[in-house]
Amino acid sequence: MDWAAVQSGELIAGVDEVGRGPLCGAVVTAAVILDPARPIVGLNDSKKLTEARREALFPLIQERALAWCIGRAEVEEIDELNILHATMLAMQRAVAGLSVRPDLVLVDGNRCPALPMRSEPVIKGDSRVPAIAAASILAKVSRDREMQVLDSQYPGYGIAGHKGYPTPSHLQALRELGATPVHRRSFAPVRAALAARIASS
């Protein structure tokens, strides 16, 4: 991106997602417009922060940002649209939910959803753009909390630990217990585990 093209005083929203790879649960996105007058120390890619640090930054971002919004696409939408299009939809929802309209939206990754304002993808943006880092933290903490809830609703899968990712223990639980309503049936590992369960029964 041509950073020189960003005009001084422009409102920049950062957007990031969490949950494209897991086998269960929603894909969660966030959009954040930071307030230059209220800086937040320690923003970084959420994956590079400890859980305790993310939890500490979460309310600070919500308190100090000019605007923020969490967006999501549910399992049914992921299975119907595919994970890429569902992620783009969740990003659109996050941007649309901002209480302040940004002049420019910077999206982590190599592509942007269709938006009614200027947008640019930024490779490794969660390490390079503070607003994207803030969005990554909001999305990560929000989704991790949801995984804790799903773990209590669907015991035996270890969802709180692996967050829905295809770990050996998760795949084994799928083969032994079957799929829950929050598993993504369009994902090959889920289909394979279910087929193996049927074959062994």
Side-chain angles (χ1 to χ4, degrees), residues 96-110:
L98 290 169
S99 59
V100 178
R101 181 188 168 101
D103 301 303
L104 173 65
V105 176
L106 301 180
V107 180
D108 184 58
N110 60 6

Side-chain angles (χ1 to χ4, degrees), residues 1-13 103-106 118-120 122 129:
M1 144 141 210
D2 181 6
W3 298 103
V6 178
Q7 302 296 313
S8 177
E10 279 192 316
L11 289 177
I12 298 173
D103 301 303
L104 173 65
V105 176
L106 301 180
R118 289 164 47 220
S119 62
E120 292 278 354
V122 184
V129 180

Side-chain angles (χ1 to χ4, degrees), residues 174 184-196:
L174 272 171
R184 303 172 182 178
R185 283 158 175 78
S186 59
F187 277 41
V190 176
R191 293 199 305 271
L194 293 180

Side-chain angles (χ1 to χ4, degrees), residues 28-165:
V28 178
T29 63
V32 177
I33 303 175
L34 292 175
D35 184 351
R38 305 185 75 196
I40 302 169
V41 176
L43 292 177
N44 200 347
D45 173 2
S46 63
K47 297 183 292 296
K48 297 179 181 178
L49 300 172
T50 65
E51 180 179 358
R53 188 67 187 133
R54 291 193 299 267
E55 287 283 352
L57 286 167
F58 187 85
L60 272 180
I61 294 166
Q62 294 179 320
E63 175 193 344
R64 297 186 186 178
L66 288 174
W68 61 272
C69 182
I70 306 291
R72 56 192 295 114
E74 304 298 341
V75 171
E76 295 79 11
E77 294 172 311
I78 294 169
D79 284 341
E80 178 182 349
L81 300 173
N82 78 40
I83 186 59
L84 173 62
H85 289 97
T87 301
M88 295 296 110
L89 176 61
M91 287 181 173
Q92 289 171 331
R93 288 170 172 165
V95 173
L98 290 169
S99 59
V100 178
R101 181 188 168 101
D103 301 303
L104 173 65
V105 176
L106 301 180
V107 180
D108 184 58
N110 60 6
R111 66 181 71 203
C112 294
L115 295 169
M117 68 283 293
R118 289 164 47 220
S119 62
E120 292 278 354
V122 184
I123 301 294
K124 297 184 178 177
D126 43 12
S127 297
R128 301 169 58 197
V129 180
I132 295 179
S136 78
I137 292 165
L138 292 192
K140 171 73 171 160
V141 172
S142 296
R143 191 175 192 280
D144 283 358
R145 290 176 178 177
E146 290 182 19
M147 293 300 100
Q148 296 280 353
V149 174
L150 291 182
D151 187 77
S152 63
Q153 292 177 339
Y154 304 103
Y157 294 86
I159 295 174
H162 54 61
K163 307 297 191 291
Y165 283 90

